[in-house]
Amino acid sequence: VGSIPANAADDGQWSQGLISAARMVAAATSSLCEAANASVQGHASEEKLISSAKQVAASTAQLLVACKVKADQDSEAMRRLQIIAAQEEMLKKERELEEARKKLAQIRQQQYKFLPTELREDEG
């Protein structure tokens, strides 16, 4: 990522933060791989896999923040990161929409059970 010049003390602190964030991503990714392998073998729960994936996402977000601190906002790398961030947000919203649709379907199903038989469309 193209950087904006800063003083040496800030560079050292930023570099350490960047390294720390990258190590967190690596550790979380390793944990995710272990959870995925265990899950495939039937030794881990789906919740463990989901938790590991969320940790990868969180640590990656921290790494991106560390990168953005010094990044040239007009660089090609930043433009690629912004497209990735937009895609991530879109997928998150699509998942939330799907969950809301399922919840609405469940609510309608419950309401349908309480309708008098003569008002139900599919019986007859």
Side-chain angles (χ1 to χ4, degrees), residues 42-107:
H43 302 299
S45 67
E46 183 178 335
E47 290 79 13
K48 171 71 174 166
L49 191 60
I50 291 169
S51 174
S52 297
K54 286 182 178 181
Q55 185 57 46
V56 170
S59 58
T60 301
Q62 289 176 340
L63 179 59
L64 287 174
V65 168
C67 289
K68 287 180 181 181
V69 167
K70 295 264 182 160
D72 174 5
Q73 297 300 314
D74 295 326
S75 71
E76 180 63 29
M78 282 306 296
R79 281 194 288 276
R80 286 195 313 262
L81 287 176
Q82 289 169 346
I83 289 167
I84 291 168
Q87 287 175 335
E88 178 184 358
E89 185 66 21
M90 182 186 72
L91 291 172
K92 181 179 176 183
K93 295 296 182 188
E94 286 176 350
R95 187 184 72 241
E96 289 172 0
L97 177 61
E98 184 60 30
E99 289 171 2
R101 284 182 174 147
K102 288 178 183 177
K103 187 174 182 178
L104 179 60
Q106 289 174 345
I107 290 169

Side-chain angles (χ1 to χ4, degrees), residues 28-45:
T29 302
S30 176
S31 177
L32 176 61
C33 290
E34 290 172 8
N37 284 333
S39 180
V40 166
Q41 296 171 4
H43 302 299
S45 67

